[in-house]
Amino acid sequence: MTLRQLELFLALVKTPHLSQVAKDFGLTQSAVSMAIKALEETLGKLLFDRIHKRLVVNENGRYFFRMVEPLVFGLRESEAMFRDQDLVGDIKVGASSSIANYILPQIIYEFAELYEGVRVEKITGNTIEIGKLIEDGDVDIGFVEADYNSTEIEREVLGLDELYVVTGDPDLVSGEDYRMEELLSKRWILREEGSGTREVFLYHIEKYKKRFKPFLEVGHTEAVKSVLGNKGALSCLSRISVMNELLSGQLFRLKIKDFKFSRSFYTIWHKDKYFSSVLQEFIYYTKERYKAVYEHQAHPH
C-alpha cells in the first residue's frame, strides 16, 4: 500500500464522487480508479461496490476506513510538524558516568523546557562502552571523560575537568601536601578498565606504574565513594562527583605535591553521522552551558 492510495481511499469514502476526488488531487478519474483497484488487490478484498458505475463503500471499506484514518492523520500531522518546526525529534545520548550523572541532567532539563518537541534519551557507560555505541550507530552523540581513539569517530573538546585524590579516612588527612611516593602503598580504589577517570589518573602516575597496584576495582563512581571510609582507602575522582561529600565532611581531599590531575571532557560522534537541526542545537546548547553547569555542580553552595 502507498500513502497516496490510502489518501484517495479516505477521500472517496468522505466524498463519494470520483470526479470531485480526481479534481481535488489533480488526477484523472481513471488514475483514481486504478489506485483504488491496486489497493483492493493488495488487501485481497473489495472496499467498494460498483453500483451503476459508482463506487459505494461496503462493509470491508467501512471497517478499513475506521482502521486507517487515524494512522494517515498521524502521519500527516508528523509531516507537518517536521516541516513547520525544525526542533523536534528524539535524541539518543551516550555519556560517561561523571558527565551523565552530574552535568547532563541539568542541561537536558533546560533543553526540554526550551523545546517541548524534543525527547532526549541518556545511556550511561564508561568511555570505551560509549565509544563502541557511537561506532555501532546505537547513539547519536557521546560525551566522554577521556579521548577515544578510533578511525570511525570524530571528536572535539567539550570542556575541562579536574580530578581530586580523596579519602574517607580522617587518619590520612595531613596539614601538608603529600608526595605521590607516600601514597602508593595505600588502598587505592579505582574504576574498572575502560573508565576515563581511571585512564587519566594512570596516565598522570605513569612513572610509578611498576610500584602501583590498585587494591580494588569497581564499576561505578558511587561504588568507589561507598568504600572510601575504610582505613587507608583513597581514590582519584572527578571534582564534580565528590563535591557534596567534601562539603559535608564525608570525604577529604588529599593534596599532592607537584601533581594536578586535570583532563578534558570530549564530545564524540561517528564520522558518517548526519547532523539534523535538532541534534546540532543540542550539541551547541550543551557546549554553551557546560561551563556554567560544571561550576555550579563543583561549587553548589
Side-chain angles (χ1 to χ4, degrees):
M1 295 184 284
T2 68
L3 183 58
R4 174 50 63 92
Q5 288 172 348
L6 295 177
E7 288 176 325
L8 290 171
F9 164 74
L10 295 175
L12 275 170
V13 173
K14 295 175 182 178
T15 307
H17 300 288
L18 193 61
S19 59
Q20 184 60 50
V21 171
K23 183 179 179 181
D24 291 344
F25 280 81
L27 299 171
T28 65
Q29 292 186 43
S30 61
V32 175
S33 295
M34 289 173 62
I36 296 301
K37 185 177 180 181
L39 177 60
E40 291 176 323
E41 289 176 352
T42 300
L43 295 171
K45 292 183 182 294
L46 291 178
L47 302 173
F48 295 90
D49 293 329
R50 274 69 175 172
I51 299 176
H52 301 306
K53 297 183 179 180
R54 292 173 54 242
L55 293 176
V56 180
V57 64
N58 61 23
E59 64 279 9
N60 294 330
R62 285 189 291 272
Y63 177 78
F64 189 63
F65 177 89
R66 183 159 53 87
M67 297 296 291
V68 301
E69 185 186 33
L71 301 178
V72 174
F73 178 79
L75 283 170
R76 283 302 180 214
E77 192 175 50
S78 298
E79 180 187 24
M81 186 180 294
F82 272 100
R83 186 176 61 247
D84 299 336
Q85 301 180 46
D86 285 332
L87 292 177
V88 293
D90 294 351
I91 303 172
K92 293 186 73 172
V93 176
S96 298
S97 60
S98 294
I99 304 173
N101 294 324
Y102 304 102
I103 299 292
L104 280 184
Q106 180 63 28
I107 290 175
I108 291 173
Y109 181 89
E110 293 174 7
F111 199 76
E113 277 192 321
L114 284 171
Y115 305 110
E116 294 182 0
V118 179
R119 187 176 71 93
V120 181
E121 178 186 350
K122 176 170 62 69
I123 298 172
T124 305
N126 62 39
T127 294
I128 288 180
E129 289 168 343
I130 299 304
K132 288 180 178 176
L133 287 174
I134 291 285
E135 286 181 323
D136 294 339
D138 292 327
V139 295
D140 299 309
I141 197 74
F143 300 104
V144 294
E145 301 166 23
D147 199 0
Y148 184 85
N149 294 312
S150 168
T151 57
E152 297 294 303
I153 286 180
E154 302 285 347
R155 65 190 61 75
E156 70 174 12
V157 173
L158 172 64
L160 299 177
D161 180 39
E162 187 176 359
L163 304 182
Y164 284 177
V165 173
V166 293
T167 183
D169 180 2
D171 291 339
L172 285 179
V173 179
S174 171
E176 297 182 359
D177 291 359
Y178 278 98
R179 289 180 294 107
M180 193 67 206
E181 293 93 327
E182 298 176 89
L183 296 174
L184 292 177
S185 61
K186 302 300 180 183
R187 294 181 172 182
W188 286 90
I189 317 299
L190 296 188
R191 288 280 307 280
E192 79 290 356
E193 288 191 18
S195 158
T197 301
R198 173 197 177 102
E199 181 180 313
V200 171
F201 172 67
L202 292 179
Y203 171 80
H204 279 284
I205 65 164
E206 177 69 26
K207 68 178 181 179
Y208 302 108
K209 190 174 182 180
K210 292 181 179 179
R211 297 165 55 191
F212 177 80
K213 185 178 180 181
F215 177 78
L216 183 66
E217 298 176 357
V218 295
H220 196 280
T221 300
E222 294 302 315
V224 174
K225 291 192 289 185
S226 73
V227 295
L228 288 180
N230 290 289
K231 187 172 180 60
L234 71 168
S235 187
C236 185
L237 296 171
S238 173
R239 171 171 76 147
I240 54 175
S241 70
V242 297
M243 190 53 63
N244 285 334
E245 289 82 1
L246 291 174
L247 291 170
S248 66
Q250 293 175 268
L251 295 179
F252 310 96
R253 182 187 179 190
L254 305 183
K255 293 189 178 181
I256 303 175
K257 194 176 297 184
D258 300 324
F259 268 88
K260 185 176 182 181
F261 300 96
S262 60
R263 62 176 174 183
S264 294
F265 285 154
Y266 293 90
T267 305
I268 61 173
W269 61 92
H270 196 282
K271 64 182 179 63
D272 296 325
K273 174 65 185 171
Y274 167 73
F275 282 80
S276 65
S277 56
V278 65
L279 184 57
Q280 290 181 56
E281 181 64 20
F282 180 74
I283 294 169
Y284 174 78
Y285 188 84
T286 301
K287 190 172 183 178
E288 288 295 299
R289 290 290 295 141
Y290 168 80
K291 186 175 181 182
V293 174
Y294 177 85
E295 289 301 324
H296 176 73
Q297 292 297 95
H299 303 287
H301 304 296

